[in-house]
Amino acid sequence: MSKKYVPNGSCLMCDKGSSPCTLKVTNHNNTKIYGEFLASEADAKPNINIMPFGMCSVTKKACVPVPMYWDKCNKDVKVNGFKLVFEDAFLLCSQGGKVKVDMNASDGSAAFQFGLTGIGLGGMPWTNYHNAIDLTQRGIIFDVENGRLQLNPANPPLNQQGLPNRNTPNIRGGNYGEMKDNVFHRSNGWRDVRTEHPVLDIDKPTAAGIDGVYNRGGTSGDYRITDSKYNTAQLQNTNTGRELSSRWTENHLDNDAVSNNADANEMRRRNQANTLDRSVTRTQTDGSMRNEPVNNNGFRQRGQSTGMDFPQSRTQQFMTSVRSSVSNTAPMQSLANSNFSRGIQSSDAAINANQFLWRNADEIARVGKVVGRGTIVIGIAIDAVSIGSAYAEEGEFGEKTQAAVGSAAGGVAGGLAGAQLGALIGTAICPGVGTVIGGIAGGIIGGIAGSSLGSAIAGWF
């Protein structure tokens, strides 16, 4: 069978590039063979005949093609004095790439199906474990304060013996107050330095411990320990002293209540010098909060109670409301209450994974930020190359350019939306590690799907 020649608009693929491009034949002298402008050995100029191929795996940067020559041409058939290129020819690049012709993908549309910008934008926030905790806690708080979750339910959850837990109101009230304490301090620039993982389950049995240990401004800044109380609950006397007292605090510090040695040592020094900030965070039945300072003996300092709040912008309120509506749909509630999800949440693997993420949250977030930003930069570069290549080929804002723009926009929208939905699904399965995995996976799936959909529907507008 005789070899075919390469027509204008053929899809080119480089083995070192991340995306294909479309060949533009310019050295034809208006001569058509079989009704087509056919590529010749002269059609090898960068950014004229050959557009960039996304990111180059050799240079690790955006592709800057440096074509040398087509290796298989017909010496007997020429156009404008140049030999025609055979379909099985390779265009060699001095960067080390080898470009081949794909005769079955001439429209170049595959170049737009990546969505890396959206993947980076959507997935990157979920590499910060604090975001996963914040989403979960704010969602539970919103549901309690909007009547979607009852602190005193008519049908309380079962205890380990399979009987209704009569202590549910106390448990839920305490955990609700502790979550509000966490969110308040987090939103006001405090970092939680406890070893113990924050509460993500409103039905988690309460245990002895420091409800909140916070730092703001490093070891030379502020330290605060808190005990969360709901409604009229009061500080109690324990075997190690009254809650929040110096003796009680020292005992918890000695038992590794604080994850970082530098924080623990500074808190111990301040506790012994009676300069450590101690307070009860009291949550009332209407959801309002008050800060009640406590002295080193664990007794409230009269007359110094102050209000606490963590206001949200309208956008934040809207997003929290939307997340709550999605989370409370029948399918999501069915998933959250399924034996599958409960089995995962109670497994040692999930508990250990959450604890690992909590203890290494800052380091993971730093790595995730670097990877996420890199993905965004690469995605923007690919989107820019795709749009520029399409516009250069068409010479106007035509169908291919519209598809490239639609792909870029769709990838961003899909990545952001997919990450949010994925995080909610992951939270239903296993709050914490599930939230992180769901957010990242949702960003990837949403970015790719959004890019494809955006490219497809761009021409409708």
Side-chain angles (χ1 to χ4, degrees):
M1 182 181 293
S2 61
K3 294 182 180 181
K4 297 179 181 178
Y5 297 119
V6 179
N8 179 56
S10 294
C11 180
L12 303 180
M13 305 186 73
C14 177
D15 64 353
K16 298 298 187 294
S18 63
S19 62
C21 80
T22 303
L23 172 66
K24 187 170 185 178
V25 174
T26 60
N27 296 280
H28 48 68
N29 199 26
N30 288 322
T31 300
K32 292 185 177 181
I33 301 178
Y34 311 123
E36 297 278 359
F37 291 131
L38 299 180
S40 71
E41 59 184 341
D43 292 309
K45 296 182 176 63
N47 299 313
I48 297 177
N49 310 115
I50 312 299
M51 299 301 169
F53 294 92
M55 297 302 295
C56 178
S57 64
V58 177
T59 64
K60 309 299 183 184
K61 299 178 181 179
C63 170
V64 179
V66 188
M68 296 188 294
Y69 60 89
W70 290 98
D71 65 352
K72 294 181 182 178
C73 301
N74 191 337
K75 64 180 180 179
D76 297 322
V77 180
K78 300 180 179 180
V79 170
N80 206 26
F82 297 103
K83 293 174 285 187
L84 292 186
V85 177
F86 283 128
E87 62 178 322
D88 60 346
F90 287 100
L91 177 62
L92 305 181
C93 175
S94 64
Q95 300 283 15
K98 183 184 288 188
V99 178
K100 70 175 182 178
V101 181
D102 186 347
M103 302 295 285
N104 297 317
S106 61
D107 65 359
S109 61
F112 309 135
Q113 312 307 320
F114 291 99
L116 285 182
T117 309
I119 290 173
L121 287 171
M124 182 174 65
W126 302 107
T127 61
N128 186 336
Y129 192 56
H130 298 289
N131 291 335
I133 293 172
D134 198 63
L135 176 143
T136 303
Q137 291 186 331
R138 284 180 183 268
I140 293 173
I141 292 169
F142 181 90
D143 285 350
V144 169
E145 296 179 355
N146 287 272
R148 296 178 178 178
L149 182 63
Q150 303 297 322
L151 294 183
N152 189 7
N155 298 304
L158 303 180
N159 58 24
Q160 293 180 346
Q161 287 74 39
L163 301 173
N165 192 340
R166 298 185 181 279
N167 197 34
T168 292
N170 293 334
I171 292 175
R172 286 193 168 185
N175 287 331
Y176 163 62
E178 187 170 332
M179 291 183 198
K180 293 204 71 167
D181 179 54
N182 291 165
V183 173
F184 169 82
H185 285 91
R186 189 184 305 121
S187 62
N188 282 278
W190 296 81
R191 63 186 182 96
D192 190 336
V193 298
R194 288 179 301 171
T195 301
E196 182 182 358
H197 193 288
V199 176
L200 298 181
D201 179 3
I202 197 167
D203 291 313
K204 177 184 177 182
T206 56
I210 307 179
D211 289 346
V213 185
Y214 306 101
N215 168 252
R216 183 169 58 184
T219 53
S220 61
D222 301 320
Y223 283 93
R224 174 182 292 174
I225 62 171
T226 66
D227 198 279
S228 303
K229 298 298 182 184
Y230 179 69
N231 199 7
T232 59
Q234 300 295 320
L235 293 174
Q236 301 295 315
N237 293 316
T238 73
N239 292 333
T240 58
R242 187 174 176 81
E243 291 177 312
L244 294 182
S245 67
S246 296
R247 180 186 166 205
W248 181 89
T249 302
E250 187 77 20
N251 177 265
H252 283 288
L253 291 174
D254 289 343
N255 284 279
D256 300 323
V258 175
S259 59
N260 184 284
N261 287 334
D263 290 322
N265 291 336
E266 180 59 24
M267 289 186 65
R268 185 175 285 105
R269 186 189 69 77
R270 297 188 188 194
N271 182 54
Q272 294 171 352
N274 295 331
T275 58
L276 182 62
D277 185 346
R278 318 166 199 267
S279 62
V280 169
T281 300
R282 186 172 303 283
T283 302
Q284 307 291 353
T285 55
D286 62 358
S288 63
M289 301 171 65
R290 297 197 67 79
N291 180 66
E292 301 175 352
V294 173
N295 62 27
N296 62 298
N297 293 317
F299 290 95
R300 177 182 169 185
Q301 299 179 22
R302 299 292 179 182
Q304 297 188 30
S305 175
T306 57
M308 304 169 66
D309 193 13
F310 47 92
Q312 299 185 90
S313 66
R314 290 185 177 180
T315 300
Q316 290 174 318
Q317 291 174 352
F318 173 74
M319 288 301 299
T320 302
S321 176
V322 170
R323 292 189 190 109
S324 175
S325 297
V326 174
S327 296
N328 282 283
T329 58
M332 292 288 277
Q333 284 296 298
S334 178
L335 176 61
N337 295 319
S338 67
N339 291 332
F340 168 73
S341 295
R342 293 190 180 279
I344 291 178
Q345 292 174 29
S346 61
S347 68
D348 290 340
I351 294 171
N352 291 336
N354 275 357
Q355 195 64 39
F356 174 83
L357 290 173
W358 171 241
R359 290 184 175 181
N360 297 277
D362 293 336
E363 184 62 30
I364 294 172
R366 280 193 289 270
V367 174
K369 184 178 292 186
V370 172
V371 174
R373 285 178 176 175
T375 303
I376 293 171
V377 170
I378 293 173
I380 291 173
I382 291 176
D383 289 338
V385 167
S386 297
I387 295 169
S389 299
Y391 187 81
E393 177 185 346
E394 295 179 313
E396 61 179 2
F397 197 77
E399 292 183 1
K400 293 182 180 179
T401 308
Q402 291 176 25
V405 173
S407 172
V412 171
L416 293 172
Q420 291 290 330
L421 179 58
L424 293 177
I425 294 173
T427 301
I429 296 173
C430 183
V433 64
T435 310
V436 171
I437 294 174
I440 295 174
I444 294 172
I445 295 171
I448 295 173
S451 175
S452 178
L453 182 62
S455 175
I457 69 174
W460 299 358
F461 303 98

